[in-house]
Amino acid sequence: MNRILVIGGTGNIGRTVVTQLAAAGANIRAMVRDPETAGFPSTVEVLYGDLTLPETLEEALNGIERIFLVWTAPPAAASQALQRITRHARHIVYLSAPLRTPHPFFQASLPNPSAALHNE
């Protein structure tokens, strides 16, 4: 079974995705900014990565064809990070409307960073 990378694995939604996929027996890798505090079961591979530092993505992306992506980084980081991500992944699930998170990136106030990223 191919490994699935969850980018943002320790956030509100990412953690739920990792937990449910792991419970279903999927081969999961979680990319997080602080692997030491991730707190996932040993069946989940946890690696460091930061969307605002594209050079940190390669290790987490190595051997990955499927990605679940919750984007909370500044829109300016999108171009370089997505170039790296799309070199590896054949299938990307992008959560564009995470209603369960209070992160300011997704709030309705204008200018809305999520809307700007979609427009880009």
Side-chain angles (χ1 to χ4, degrees), residues 7-8 11-17 68-73 93-108 112-115 117-118:
I7 297 177
N12 291 335
I13 295 171
R15 182 171 295 282
T16 299
V17 170
F68 181 85
L69 172 62
V70 177
W71 187 276
T72 58
V93 174
Y94 168 58
L95 180 64
S96 61
L99 302 176
R100 292 181 54 196
T101 183
H103 195 285
F105 186 83
F106 301 105
Q107 301 311 305
N112 177 313
S114 181
L117 183 59
H118 283 241

Side-chain angles (χ1 to χ4, degrees), residues 7-115:
I7 297 177
T10 55
N12 291 335
I13 295 171
R15 182 171 295 282
T16 299
V17 170
V18 169
T19 301
Q20 290 182 7
L21 288 172
N27 189 356
I28 303 298
R29 178 182 292 163
M31 187 184 91
V32 302
R33 286 181 290 204
D34 189 357
E36 297 298 317
T37 63
F40 289 118
S42 61
T43 58
V44 176
E45 180 183 17
V46 180
L47 292 176
Y48 169 76
D50 186 329
L51 291 169
T52 65
L53 302 168
E55 64 278 6
T56 68
L57 305 180
E58 290 302 319
E59 184 179 3
L61 291 167
N62 188 32
I64 294 294
E65 292 185 1
R66 298 180 191 150
I67 294 177
F68 181 85
L69 172 62
V70 177
W71 187 276
T72 58
S79 178
Q80 288 186 15
L82 289 174
Q83 284 177 17
R84 290 176 188 258
I85 290 169
T86 57
R87 270 190 260 151
H88 293 271
R90 297 176 44 136
H91 184 169
I92 300 170
V93 174
Y94 168 58
L95 180 64
S96 61
L99 302 176
R100 292 181 54 196
T101 183
H103 195 285
F105 186 83
F106 301 105
Q107 301 311 305
S109 62
L110 296 176
N112 177 313
S114 181

